[in-house]
Amino acid sequence: MISDRTVNAINAQINREYFSAFLYLAMANDAMDKGFKGAAHWFTQQFKEETEHALRFSKYLEDRGAKVMLTGMDAPQTEWPDLLAMFNDALAHEKKVTAWINEIADIALDERDFATQNMLKWFIDEQVEEEASVSDVIWMIEMSSGSKGAMFMADRTLGKRKDD
Ligand code: MG
């Protein structure tokens, strides 16, 4: 039996994953508006990935016999000063997501809910990847700042991101 406390925590996270998707879509739109097609592609991939995270948590609740409850969500920010600010916000957001996942892991430990602990392992590993990949992009953009040619190449590199 999964506890109501765990179900509520996972439902809250499902809604946050959808908000993450929405935030990255807003970043994709702003990147496109600024002419960075590669970054727009990168954020669109990220949008898809966040949707998959929400669905992965949803499948888990369904498997445990619990219902997914969607709520309203805040409007995302729609404009950033530049690409660096956008990716810095993406990193700050992923750090928040990591903290939220850790909170659910704390609850699952407290409840001795071993199945939820196992399910969360995938997300704990995923957050390490997320923070590392956004940090890599920030480094690339920082190295390119001040050079239009380097920024053009950085944007092209972002445009090569595959489905993962
Ligand atoms: Mg996520």
Side-chain angles (χ1 to χ4, degrees):
M1 220 4 225
I2 188 166
S3 73
D4 286 349
R5 185 177 167 217
T6 308
V7 170
N8 291 341
I10 295 174
N11 259 320
Q13 188 58 30
I14 289 169
N15 284 281
R16 291 175 193 134
E17 297 290 345
Y18 281 122
F19 175 77
S20 300
F22 212 38
L23 175 67
Y24 291 131
L25 195 55
M27 287 176 174
N29 291 334
D30 195 37
M32 190 56 91
D33 189 53
K34 287 172 164 57
F36 293 108
K37 288 185 182 174
H41 168 80
W42 194 98
F43 281 117
T44 302
Q45 294 296 101
Q46 193 69 17
F47 154 76
K48 290 180 191 167
E49 210 178 280
E50 299 307 332
T51 304
E52 280 163 20
H53 293 169
L55 292 174
R56 193 180 182 109
F57 274 120
S58 301
K59 168 85 168 53
Y60 179 72
L61 282 191
E62 286 153 16
D63 286 349
R64 299 290 308 267
K67 187 177 177 183
V68 175
M69 303 288 276
L70 297 181
T71 62
M73 71 180 139
D74 293 336
Q77 185 174 333
T78 53
E79 209 175 338
W80 285 263
D82 52 34
L83 273 195
L84 183 60
M86 222 180 268
F87 279 98
N88 276 329
D89 275 6
L91 180 60
H93 183 71
E94 285 306 323
K95 286 182 174 172
K96 265 198 280 181
V97 174
T98 301
W100 285 324
I101 302 267
N102 289 344
E103 280 175 21
I104 306 171
D106 259 343
I107 294 170
L109 271 177
D110 190 47
E111 306 260 332
R112 294 177 57 80
D113 181 339
F114 303 112
T116 299
Q117 289 172 33
N118 271 352
M119 179 277 292
L120 286 172
K121 190 186 171 303
W122 185 91
F123 283 97
I124 291 165
D125 292 342
E126 173 69 9
Q127 283 311 116
V128 173
E129 288 298 310
E130 294 277 31
E131 289 188 28
S133 77
V134 180
S135 296
D136 283 352
V137 174
I138 290 171
W139 183 82
M140 179 173 67
I141 294 173
E142 280 175 348
M143 294 301 284
S144 311
S145 78
S147 159
K148 282 186 178 176
M151 274 304 289
F152 177 79
M153 291 309 291
D155 189 54
R156 273 185 59 158
T157 302
L158 292 172
K160 290 188 180 129
R161 177 174 172 179
K162 300 272 187 295
D163 277 319
D164 42 22

